[in-house]
Amino acid sequence: RQEGGREMAAWARAVRGLLLDVSGVLYDSGGDGGVPIAGSVEAVRRIKASGLKLRFCTNETQATREKFVKKLQGMGFDISVAEVTAPAPAACRILKERSLRPHLLVHNDLVPEFAEIDKANPNCVVIGDAAENFTYANLNEAFRVLIGMEKPVLISLGRGRYYKETDGLKLDVGAYMKALEYACDVQAEVVGKPAKAFFESALAEMGVPPQEAIMIGDDIVNDVGGAQRCGMRALQVRTGKYRPCDENHPHVKPDAYVNNLAEAVDIILQQL
């Protein structure tokens, strides 16, 4: 098994761009806004000073990118909206291209991202991490919209199973997506990680080919597996939702495990 040790850092060579997951890598979210993970603010600063290209790749769908970025800036992170690849803007592009009018099952704070989109007489459902909005009534309403269609269209802003907040693990959008898939016998189209198009758009925004990029995340399936399927190297941090059983995952083997973002950045910058 490859460790993030200095002597075995072949994975760190010939890197031009880094993709960072946000929740669980930069900070742990929480009702109080959350807390930065030790060393992560400084690690982002060092990446930027090194001249490496950088994208923040998040499946965060509980807030607009503006609000989300403002929160991270408040924690001391050097980050701007233009550096964030997120599912909602990608979903809006798809909705416009295909003349889809969504019924939204999303967090109230995400609704402004869909301001430009026609939502009258819906012909699809868009589901995000709606948190407290995942009531029986709201799920049932989304179910009725889908089941009433000849060819139901369900677009999901991610398919994570759970994530970590400061007070513990929380169910994520994937669990509710699966409920609607099962009830309506439909396959959701996933817009966020681990969708290939999501990683490809982040790479295109950086102008870096996959073989010269590394993804760093806490989610073994969506961050690590998704990035590796795109031809990138991928590291799993032992922060956020990481659990020791991830290291025996039957299908996904990260290029390395690192204790946290700061350790990964140390190793990568030594190879430059």
Side-chain angles (χ1 to χ4, degrees), residues 33-46:
V35 293
I37 291 166
S40 58
V41 171
E42 180 59 20
V44 169
R45 201 175 294 133
R46 291 179 66 204

Side-chain angles (χ1 to χ4, degrees), residues 5-60:
R6 304 287 182 269
E7 70 292 344
M8 292 181 68
W11 56 263
R13 298 202 179 111
V15 179
R16 281 180 48 222
L18 296 180
L19 289 76
L20 303 186
D21 176 35
V22 178
S23 179
V25 174
L26 300 188
Y27 82 117
D28 283 323
S29 58
D32 49 358
V35 293
I37 291 166
S40 58
V41 171
E42 180 59 20
V44 169
R45 201 175 294 133
R46 291 179 66 204
I47 294 167
K48 292 202 163 180
S50 74
L52 286 170
K53 299 279 186 68
L54 177 62
R55 291 298 294 176
F56 299 94
C57 293
T58 180
N59 272 6
E60 168 67 47

Side-chain angles (χ1 to χ4, degrees), residues 25 38-40 42-43 46 237 258-267:
V25 174
S40 58
E42 180 59 20
R46 291 179 66 204
V237 289
V258 287
N259 288 319
N260 48 42
L261 177 62
E263 186 184 318
V265 170
D266 267 348
I267 297 167

Side-chain angles (χ1 to χ4, degrees), residues 7 26 35 38 54 68 87 111 121 151 167 193 210 212-213 216 218-219 222 235 254 258:
E7 70 292 344
L26 300 188
V35 293
L54 177 62
F68 177 60
V111 172
N121 188 21
K151 287 196 175 141
D167 62 347
K193 296 175 290 188
E212 294 180 7
I216 302 174
D218 69 330
D219 186 317
N222 293 322
L235 312 183
V258 287

